[in-house]
Amino acid sequence: MKELEKLFDRIVQRVNINLRELEFDVNPLVNKLIPTRQMTRFYAFYGLTPHHPLNFVFRHSNLSGSYFLGKVRVTNSLLYKSDIRGDELKQKGDLFQYQDFNIPVDQDEEICIDDSFLIKTLVHNFSHDPETLETFFIRDTVSTHYANIHGSPSDGCFYGPFSTVDLTTIRDCLVGAYAYVQAGEISHLNVDPGTVWVRLPDEFNFLYRHPSDRLTNYIYFTPGNVPQGVFMDFVEDRKAAFEQVFNIVNFKAPVTVPTSASVDRFAVIKPKTSIGDNVLVAQRAFLQNSTLGKGANAQENCYIINSVLEGNDVTAHGAKIIEADMGKTVFVGFNSFLRGRPNARLKIGQECVVMPHTIIDISKPLVIPPGHLVWGLIKNADDLQANSMSLKDFSKIESRMSKGRMLFEGSGKSFVTGFQERIHHILEANGAFYSNNNNRGHAQRNQNISFNTIQPYPKGGDKEGLYPTIIIQP
Amino acid sequence: MKELEKLFDRIVQRVNINLRELEFDVNPLVNKLIPTRQMTRFYAFYGLTPHHPLNFVFRHSNLSGSYFLGKVRVTNSLLYKSDIRGDELKQKGDLFQYQDFNIPVDQDEEICIDDSFLIKTLVHNFSHDPETLETFFIRDTVSTHYANIHGSPSDGCFYGPFSTVDLTTIRDCLVGAYAYVQAGEISHLNVDPGTVWVRLPDEFNFLYRHPSDRLTNYIYFTPGNVPQGVFMDFVEDRKAAFEQVFNIVNFKAPVTVPTSASVDRFAVIKPKTSIGDNVLVAQRAFLQNSTLGKGANAQENCYIINSVLEGNDVTAHGAKIIEADMGKTVFVGFNSFLRGRPNARLKIGQECVVMPHTIIDISKPLVIPPGHLVWGLIKNADDLQANSMSLKDFSKIESRMSKGRMLFEGSGKSFVTGFQERIHHILEANGAFYSNNNNRGHAQRNQNISFNTIQPYPKGGDKEGLYPTIIIQP
């Protein structure tokens, strides 16, 4: 195990050097988080398809339980049960538009992970930074349980559990538990836990902060302990079902899947689930007694339980939907936690936008009318009043508005349009609009993935737990 | 599938060019043997241990269901459910003794498979050819079901089903079904089916040929058909048990394994089986209601059913032992088929040597006294008389002897001593003599193997069924 331990020390030191200004020591937070023995227990795996540029290079790393798809290079890193998806990377010959620049993409984009420790983290999308189009880098970074690094090159950062950094280039920052950052480019910031921050410079700035005393019930992270709270209990309770799925080589979903849809063989599908046309169910999604209507999707680490999604609903990475009825084209952002109860169902009207990192946790029935924007922490109808607004009204904001704990500055119209365009793009990329062989997306392309497993050096030497150098090319 | 089909054509043409003198066309024999669709169905896999030099390079090949351990390079080849074991390859710094030559091994030996099509073939051991110490090559070669290529560099050859080439460098040869060749160096020969030939130039020559009319009951191979007969029926009947073993990721043998023994997780272990100290059970071995005493082994493709092996018994690759009682240190050679019946058990006394490719198939009890050499086709006591001799008597042969269909020339003593030394070496290599941390062999080293699976390009393009380039290095 010697080399694995050295590698851990090396990563921690590098992150601490980057974060020295913030006087932050990552070591006590992560040094006992994943016992070294645990890192050697799970196979890593990668997908092969006819569609994605193939190029994997793994060197001097541990990849335990992690998944790779697309062009990825991992060096001197520890990736524990992380999902590194490269099926939306830019390809050679693409033209990238940024403001007035039309930038040709010179070579196939690559996700480059160096000197980093990622725990149960999702890395997806592509680098939105015009300065680094061909390399989506993650360097000197430590991330913890269920963090999302989405389209966000990252250097010298620490991510708390269930945090998300989205379409943002980020350097030397601390991102607290359950914080969401979509801000273009940031550096040397300490983002508090529970912050939800969406900024487009010169256009708008949305800022909400979850009340810290109430957030700790959901997620709580202190040195020396694994993350705790409702979010962790919820996923831990459903872990055994995944173990089963990962221990079978040829697993067939116990559900009928239309030819235009795809259900990943590493998803858990419990009984009484129905899958419509053009549906995409990603790896590590969990469906139980639910209906996914045409074009709906369930992305990585989503849980959909006792719920109905009428169609074209987006369930972004890590979102949970329990005992809910979702109208058409409802967007549920990253790591949102929407929990109705058997006798207190949650009903969300069509075309609602549930902001990333929203918690709705009710004990009486609640209805969100169509076309609303919803954010923050909502436990009842009063909270809903304080934490929602119709998209129509929101679009009318022209300079500044505060409501409850939320502050908005800039153009509401630009904010709403931006969201709607993004939702449309997500549905398109996932194949929700597929028809007569047109508009193919992930739902159609992911039907034929070959999975390959890789394992570390076994017991019996200094290299125990390290993976050998592995190079996979066309 | 286009590229896969081109590859098949390329290999067949190359083998035919090599075999042009023998006017042999390999195409009708193999072109329908493994449907292309079948080649894309099974994962290939490789083992990682702390002990073996690690170096896999796979290029432009299909590897369906095949296994790799050690240093292997495969190019432009089709390997269907073959076992390529590289855990006895020579290592850099070794000294290889051959006659009066002491040859230093310059670099780690590599198994190099080019332009070949191997079906359910076992490749094992190391190149015994002093002319090519660092490369155990297999080129322009087609081999069929359950052939063994054992320590035998091979160029331009065709191997019939259940044939074995052992410690022989072989060029431009045809080896018929169930023929066994151990002859040092041969070229441009057509070896008839059922030939058992062991030659050490200037020392001895052992030659037996199975009666072809009776052999066809066991193995029969004609163009356009898969191999047929008792041997094929026997393995096909037990195929389902292996499917189960291959479809589980973490498989635990349902049997107690002493710490000094190893049972490969890809072996089938049926109930009522007992594993002694220092026992080695290799991949794709099948054990049922049997006892393996201390130091006994069951190598690849062995079946041991309702039998007792007292200890230090060698069951060489592909040998089958059914309803038999084996004394200590009995050697059963490659692909031998020893079948007693519930009321007609086969008893083999200690230190017997059952020649490779021996068939004993009885309907009345049969006892082979200790210390005997046995060969050929034996169905009753009379056959045994004609096809056996005590090792003591055999050692006395000084020039020439024929018995039944067997002809021996040269020194019986040299022949017997050679065999005994080899058996001792096999037991040693397999760890049968392990004690107090000394004399470690495969049984002890194979306890910690990490298995990794690899798959071909899936449906949806010309590359369907081909594996990408895969390079695994320390």
Side-chain angles (χ1 to χ4, degrees), chain B residues 157-183:
Chain B
C157 294
F158 174 80
Y159 299 103
F162 295 91
S163 66
T164 299
V165 55
D166 188 15
L167 316 185
T168 300
T169 300
I170 178 165
R171 288 188 173 86
D172 302 344
C173 288
L174 266 175
V175 181
Y178 208 51
Y180 174 86
V181 177
Q182 181 194 326

Side-chain angles (χ1 to χ4, degrees), chain A residues 167-315:
Chain A
L167 316 185
T168 301
T169 301
I170 178 165
R171 288 189 174 85
D172 302 344
C173 288
L174 265 176
V175 181
Y178 208 50
Y180 174 85
V181 176
Q182 182 194 325
E185 196 171 346
I186 63 171
S187 62
H188 299 269
L189 289 185
N190 183 346
V191 181
D192 282 339
T195 301
V196 179
W197 180 28
V198 185
R199 176 185 72 172
L200 184 62
D202 300 324
E203 285 286 330
F204 57 75
N205 194 30
F206 175 106
L207 188 65
Y208 171 87
R209 191 162 296 150
H210 280 279
S212 65
D213 54 332
R214 293 169 71 194
L215 184 63
T216 52
N217 179 42
Y218 294 95
I219 182 68
Y220 181 67
F221 187 42
T222 49
N225 295 302
V226 296
Q228 290 167 70
V230 171
F231 292 171
M232 288 301 290
D233 294 346
F234 181 86
V235 296
E236 290 290 315
D237 285 350
R238 287 156 184 85
K239 215 161 94 169
F242 283 100
E243 281 166 10
Q244 225 181 340
V245 162
F246 276 87
N247 199 28
I248 301 281
V249 175
N250 292 304
F251 194 84
K252 234 184 113 45
V255 69
T256 309
V257 179
T259 55
S260 62
S262 70
V263 173
D264 193 277
R265 58 79 81 238
F266 291 104
V268 167
I269 314 293
K270 292 278 193 183
K272 296 193 197 158
T273 291
S274 153
I275 304 288
D277 287 327
N278 299 357
V279 160
L280 172 74
V281 179
Q283 293 212 336
R284 303 186 215 248
F286 180 104
L287 307 184
Q288 183 171 21
N289 186 31
S290 292
T291 298
L292 272 66
K294 183 175 176 182
N297 66 52
Q299 298 178 15
E300 284 82 354
N301 301 318
C302 281
Y303 294 72
I304 300 177
I305 298 169
N306 301 340
S307 294
V308 176
L309 279 60
E310 285 193 12
N312 287 350
D313 302 274
V314 176
T315 317

